[in-house]
Each structure stands twice: as structure tokens, then as C-alpha cells.
Amino acid sequence: MKVAAIDLGTNTFHLIIAEKTASEMNILYKTNKPVKLGEDITLENKIIPTAFERGINCLKEFSITLQEYEISKVRAVATSGVRSASNGQKFIETVKQQTGISIEVVDGNEEAHLIYEGVKASGAIKGKSLIMDIGGGSTEFIFCDEQGFYWKKSFDIGAARLMQKFFKSDPISITDQQNIQNHLQVTLTELITFGKDFEAETLIGSAGAFETYSVMLNPSLNIHQVSKAPIDINAYYQLSDKLIVSTHEERSEMPNLIPLRVDMIVMASLITNYVLANLGLKQITLSTYDLKMGVLQGMK
């Protein structure tokens, strides 16, 4: 049977279509659009009109694709951008009216669970690990091993949200960096406390920013053809240092850094660095499978 998953992220909307049998899943189509639904969302806690319109237009395009592939079973999942917006319900209703797509808003706990299921399917989990998925509105963390997960939580520290709150200079100033560090220290107390007892050795980065790190460090890597790949931790630290001290213009000219992430990659690097440093993680693995793959895994 053919099924489709739509992931309505704060920055990017994803559509993935697959054919499922009892034993395997074959991806037929995959696309994403930089909708930036969370643009300026921290100002009034609402989806601004231009972002609202971009979201509707994107889902109209997705609806046409679903018809072309004759998909009858679709699960559309909305996360932090819609979840936290005061007009999120209005967006859901408008989408239903104009495209026929029914959107399900998942809470942070369910979001983390779907990410875990997606990453598990990639085969990236080897021993005690911490999965991290840096979104635009929120970031999810899951402590796990091959047997299952032991702790999971979503925090409102996505790259777009941090950028809107703290990114006031170009390049980012030491003061801005310190304000972010302080915010992470207060917000992630529970994560660090559990993590120090759990003693994970591997950080598994779920798609997004970790795909960007991977292709910047290894341009020959085709992230569309692999489910997982190692990221050299020392090479990552060198890249991170370069990203943090660079200007917007300098980053915009860096190979394999897509326009959507030119600034948000700085926030992602600061979050990644904080977690690596405070939990003593020894290695990094990319999982190209994330929430949308977790949604597909659960569809029957």
C-alpha cells in the first residue's frame, strides 16, 4: 500500500511518499519546502500573515502531489510552530478547507517518540546514545540504546526561536553567545542531570542541522542515499568554530550551506556544543531518518 507523511516543521514542511509491504518500505517521492512558518513568531506568538500564506500554498502543492500518486492514507503532523502559535488552530482549519489535508498537532512527548522511531529505523543506534533533533521551534532529546528509550523530552530551544531571542549581532557577539549559554543552562538542567547518570557515548543527530554539518565536512556524501553516516567529532568542532565566528555574508558563500540555515546553523552549533561539552559525548552519528520516517513507520 502507498502511504504519505507530512511533517509541518517550524522552518520546513516535508512530504514523503512510500510503498509499504509487510517486510519493507520503498520511498517513492520526497520533497521539502523552506516555508519559515515560525518567522517572527516570538514577537506576538502567532503565525504572521505572509508565513500563514506560504504554509497554505505549500500544502496546496503537496495536495496535488498526493493526488498524482493516488495516496489515500496520509498523516500530517504539526510540531512546535503550529503548537505554540495563538492562531495555530486557524491555520489547521484553513488548510483543511483549502487542501483537504487534516493536520494533527502532536505534543513534545509524541514528537520525541516519532523521532526515536525514525532514527531507530536508520540503524544508527549502537549502544548508549543521545538522539538530538534541532528544529526551528523546539529541540528534542532521547536517551536510548538498541533495546529502547529511557528518557525523552522536547524543549522550546529551536534554532529559529533562539535566533529571534538572542542573535543580535553579526558575527554573533560573545555577549549573545553567553546569553544563549545561560538560557541553555537553565532550560536543560533535567537533560544534563539524567545524561550524566546515563553515560551515553554517542550523539545521534537527527537530519536537519546534522545533515548540513555532514555535507559541509564531506561534500561527496549523498544524504539522500544513506540512512546514517559518521561525523568526525574533531572536524565538527573545527567547522563549528568557523561558523560561529563568521558573518552572515561569509556563511552565505560557504559551500553546501543552504540559505535557510545560513544563520540558524550558528544556533544549532551552539546547542550542539553545549550538549557535547556537558555530557562528555565521544562521537557523533548522523541519522537522515527523522520524525517523518517515524510517522511512516507507524502507519498501517
Side-chain angles (χ1 to χ4, degrees), residues 6 15 18 50 58 65-66 98 152 160 188 201 227 241 265 274:
I6 299 174
L15 168 63
T50 50
C58 175
T65 304
L66 292 170
Q98 297 195 19
K152 57 184 168 67
L188 298 179
E201 293 205 344
S227 60
D241 290 345
I265 199 69
Y274 183 85

Side-chain angles (χ1 to χ4, degrees), residues 87-294:
N87 59 344
Q89 189 57 40
K90 174 70 175 170
F91 180 76
I92 290 166
E93 290 165 3
T94 307
V95 168
K96 180 65 175 174
Q97 288 166 5
Q98 297 195 19
T99 72
I101 295 170
S102 299
I103 296 172
E104 171 190 354
V105 178
V106 295
D107 63 20
N109 196 46
E110 173 67 2
E111 185 176 359
H113 178 73
L114 290 168
I115 290 164
Y116 168 76
E117 291 297 333
V119 172
K120 185 171 84 169
S122 77
I125 304 171
K126 305 287 183 192
K128 287 188 171 184
S129 304
L130 170 62
I131 298 169
M132 177 162 69
D133 187 300
I134 304 171
S138 62
T139 297
E140 285 66 48
F141 297 93
I142 305 108
F143 286 104
C144 61
D145 60 19
E146 295 94 332
Q147 277 67 55
F149 59 81
Y150 302 89
W151 185 95
K152 57 184 168 67
K153 193 160 183 178
S154 175
F155 296 89
D156 286 335
I157 52 164
R161 204 177 290 275
L162 288 181
M163 196 169 81
Q164 289 169 27
K165 265 188 180 177
F166 298 108
F167 204 162
K168 310 294 185 189
S169 49
D170 183 34
I172 189 167
S173 67
I174 298 298
T175 302
D176 287 352
Q177 290 182 53
Q178 192 57 56
N179 288 337
I180 291 167
Q181 291 282 326
N182 294 343
H183 183 64
L184 293 176
Q185 188 173 0
V186 171
T187 307
L188 298 179
T189 305
E190 191 182 345
L191 170 86
I192 302 304
T193 301
F194 185 93
K196 283 181 175 172
D197 287 338
F198 188 72
E199 295 182 336
E201 293 205 344
T202 304
L203 176 65
I204 302 174
S206 168
F210 289 88
E211 290 181 341
T212 298
Y213 302 150
S214 293
V215 295
M216 290 185 79
L217 292 170
N218 182 8
S220 64
L221 178 71
N222 187 338
I223 55 171
H224 304 295
Q225 293 183 346
V226 298
S227 60
K228 63 183 188 297
I231 298 174
D232 182 278
I233 195 165
N234 294 318
Y236 161 75
Y237 277 127
Q238 290 175 3
L239 175 63
S240 169
D241 290 345
K242 181 180 170 185
L243 291 167
I244 291 167
V245 300
S246 60
T247 63
H248 172 90
E249 188 176 350
E250 287 166 344
R251 287 190 303 277
S252 66
E253 293 174 1
M254 291 180 185
N256 297 308
L257 180 51
I258 61 172
L260 177 73
R261 292 215 176 93
V262 163
D263 289 328
M264 280 187 272
I265 199 69
V266 176
M267 300 296 101
S269 297
L270 290 168
I271 301 168
T272 304
N273 291 352
Y274 183 85
V275 171
L276 286 171
N278 282 274
L279 291 178
L281 295 147
K282 305 285 193 301
Q283 54 199 22
I284 309 174
T285 299
L286 161 70
S287 165
T288 62
Y289 290 7
D290 56 0
L291 181 142
K292 56 189 174 292
M293 191 60 82

